[in-house]
Amino acid sequence: MARVVVISNRVPVPTELGPRAGGLVVGVKDAIKDGGLWFGWSGQVAEHTGGQPHLNRAGNVDYATVEISKEDYERFYVGFTNGTLWPLLHFRPGLVAFERVEFESYLSVNRAFAKSLLPLLKPDDLIWVHDYHLIPMATELRALGVKNRIGFFLHVPFVPPSLLDALPQARRLLRMMCDYDAVGFQTAQHLRDFQDCLRSMLGLVAVPGIGIQTDGHAMMPIAAPIGIDARAFARQAKRAASAKATQRLVDSLVGRSLIIGVDRLDYSKGLPNRFVAFSRLLEEHKEHRLKVSYLQVAPRSREDVAEYQRLKRDLDRRTGEINGRFAEFDWVPLRYLTRPIARASLAGFYRVARVGLVTPLRDGMNLVAKEYVAAQDPEDPGVLVLSRFAGAAEELDDAIIINPNDSDEITEAMHQALTMPLAERKARYESLFEKVCRTTAQSYCKDFLGTLTRQVPDLDIRESGMTADHAQHQH
Ligand code: GDG
């Protein structure tokens, strides 16, 4: 098998201290566990963007990282990727800012990264680019003469044409996506939205078995849902249940039920509505007072982006209000942490929680939903409350599915989960566990890389001179 070269904005260099929150790393690690190269930004700011990469090796994986300049940090990272693309792709046009200089920085950072990576590439490497920070990467690598197969996977949702069209340069980004050999999405819905955009904005339609054809090149769009190594996580959770941290948590509950939420502190995760819903639970279902504690782990994220600072202030205030209003001298209803905790502890915490709250307003997949299911005790499982707008809801339909825009619906779901009989909890868990074991980190990598390495009749296309218009008429 060819070497896999993963390119992502952030690289989990093993020397980094302490736990970090983020779904991409958790999901992708498996792609190169048998050897490979992981390239991207070190997370540090330096005088220039790109240049010669810093190399590290751990096990049989090589890590290569570069820095970005202060200006690019502001324009590329805080600006175009997290101030424009992130809100747009999470259906929040009201939060989208656009500045041409930031888009230029987005292109130039991708160009600099491509140049830094070039000397490390081998002719038969499979190049796998991840997420919205790096859409132009194939175009830039091709411009440098790279002939390898290059795939792209989008971890976040994709939007319908009426929304994408709000973005100046939307067509240019779509054309750049066509420079890949394969483009993957988390769900069938995201794939449909992408294909609608290609059709209505560029007049391109996929040909079965070949994909989207442009200038004698074929790009195959697919849905390849990401997953976790569910059985390994289940074992980790079982072990963690008797570990010190979990025992401390259980002791602190003194017999109360635990509701858990684990999310990067991000406005896409729907935390304010969740806090409102919890407050209403205590207000309207008084029987839960003193009987339940809600632990929200919300590690701070993208702290230089103004919207994230606003969100943190909002949640800090709401936490104070809820606890001020409902707490007793021996009971704090809402425990709210804004720093990450160790993954092993997390596994144990999920296991002892009666309810897992996953209520994002939009989410590409949401791995916390899958982790929560995998971590449960089969004899006494907890209940997952899941937003219908998380990609995970396409598969995990035995959860209590809610609309996260309706706080009352979340309140009702919490009550239903807290009072659900054991037989129903078990039945739902068994079906959910079977599903999280079916779509795993391994199956995700296999599906995506299988499509990337497929035999494509490129030459035939080139020889017959087929164009986008031809393709459209043929369909
Ligand atoms: C993006 C997409 C998509 C969270 N807090 C802590 C911690 N985490 C871990 C969780 C989970 C991961 O971070 C979060 O993954 P999600 O999938 O829930 O969300 P995003 O970070 O937004 O990920 C998402 C994902 O990419 C993968 O494609 O599913 O839709 O937005 O693994 O456990 N880990 C530790 N301490 C914490 O406090 N150790």
Side-chain angles (χ1 to χ4, degrees), residues 165-186:
D165 212 13
L167 176 71
Q169 306 290 355
R171 284 169 181 74
R172 192 157 169 201
L173 286 181
L174 282 174
R175 278 195 293 273
M176 287 173 168
M177 290 174 87
C178 294
D179 283 339
Y180 288 91
D181 295 296
V183 171
F185 298 90
Q186 301 272 23

Side-chain angles (χ1 to χ4, degrees), residues 15 17 45 49 63 93 136 144 150 152 192 254 292 303 335 381 391 396 421 442:
T15 50
L17 295 173
V45 166
T49 298
Y63 295 89
L144 295 173
I150 312 177
F152 177 79
R192 276 195 295 276
V254 284
V292 59
E303 290 176 81
R335 305 174 182 193
L396 303 186
Q442 292 86 338

